[in-house]
Amino acid sequence: MKLPIIATVLLFLLGTQLLFAQKINSLSGNVTDKETKMAIPYAYIYIPDLHVSVLSDSNGFYTITKIPAASYEVQVSYLGYKNRSIFVSVKGETTLSIELDNSKTELSEVVVTGNTKATEIRKSPLPIVTINKEYLVTNLSTNVIDAIAKIPGISAVTTGPNVSKPYIRGLGSNRILTLFD
């Protein structure tokens, strides 16, 4: 009678050993700048097939654990760098170090118009003033309304400290539509 109990216990222990002996698949590595080889902290790493994403730590290191063994597309992005897609086969503990290239993007000017459609400056029947970074740096103010109040056709009514309401070509704040894109 003791023999079947011992055999059952041995089979149970053998089964749990086999269960825990399976490798846990993981993907880890570093995200670095291609030119300087410096770590890129808090880069966004995403596997679309699994809908799994992580951020690299302050040293550029990332780890994704408990993923099935297979081939995946890994997408890496960070502000100021080109997005990168890499295909990798994950089996066991897989290491993937990623280098990102710098990307410079120049944004066009912001056009403030009185309608809901953007209007090109040269096609507008009304005078349009473009405000750039240099204008904002030379005309420092506590808020945006005070900064643009020096432009012809625009005035501001101050209702308290750091609180201003715009008047554009005679229209008050309740007649002005502000669009943010």
Side-chain angles (χ1 to χ4, degrees):
M1 183 150 193
K2 289 187 179 185
L3 185 57
I5 293 174
I6 293 174
T8 305
V9 170
L10 285 175
L11 285 174
F12 175 74
L13 291 175
L14 183 62
T16 56
Q17 287 295 328
L18 288 174
L19 188 66
F20 289 113
Q22 293 178 352
K23 287 187 178 180
I24 296 175
N25 299 314
S26 66
L27 179 65
S28 62
N30 287 316
V31 181
T32 57
D33 184 299
K34 190 172 186 177
E35 291 178 15
T36 63
K37 306 296 184 206
M38 298 287 294
I40 299 176
Y42 312 112
Y44 181 71
I45 299 97
Y46 178 62
I47 301 177
D49 293 338
L50 300 175
H51 301 291
V52 172
S53 63
V54 295
L55 290 176
S56 62
D57 64 10
S58 59
N59 297 319
F61 183 77
Y62 71 93
T63 301
I64 304 172
T65 57
K66 298 180 182 177
I67 56 177
S71 293
Y72 298 105
E73 176 187 13
V74 178
Q75 298 174 351
V76 183
S77 60
Y78 189 75
L79 187 63
Y81 290 87
K82 293 179 186 173
N83 293 346
R84 183 149 183 220
S85 291
I86 302 168
F87 288 92
V88 64
S89 293
V90 176
K91 186 174 183 183
E93 293 182 10
T94 306
T95 302
L96 176 65
S97 294
I98 303 161
E99 292 181 336
L100 297 179
D101 289 323
N102 282 327
S103 173
K104 294 183 173 111
T105 305
E106 186 174 323
L107 300 176
S108 61
E109 61 199 19
V110 176
V111 177
V112 179
T113 61
N115 55 14
T116 58
K117 294 186 284 185
T119 305
E120 291 183 30
I121 290 177
R122 56 189 146 89
K123 291 183 180 179
S124 175
L126 298 172
I128 295 177
V129 177
T130 303
I131 299 172
N132 56 19
K133 180 181 176 184
E134 290 81 25
Y135 177 85
L136 292 175
V137 170
T138 56
N139 296 300
L140 293 176
S141 297
T142 57
N143 58 42
V144 175
I145 304 303
D146 289 340
I148 65 172
K150 298 170 186 154
I151 297 172
I154 299 176
S155 60
V157 174
T158 304
T159 60
N162 298 328
V163 179
S164 297
K165 295 182 180 182
Y167 277 84
I168 301 175
R169 295 189 182 118
L171 297 175
S173 60
N174 60 344
R175 303 284 306 222
I176 298 172
L177 174 63
T178 304
L179 301 174
F180 179 73
D181 186 9

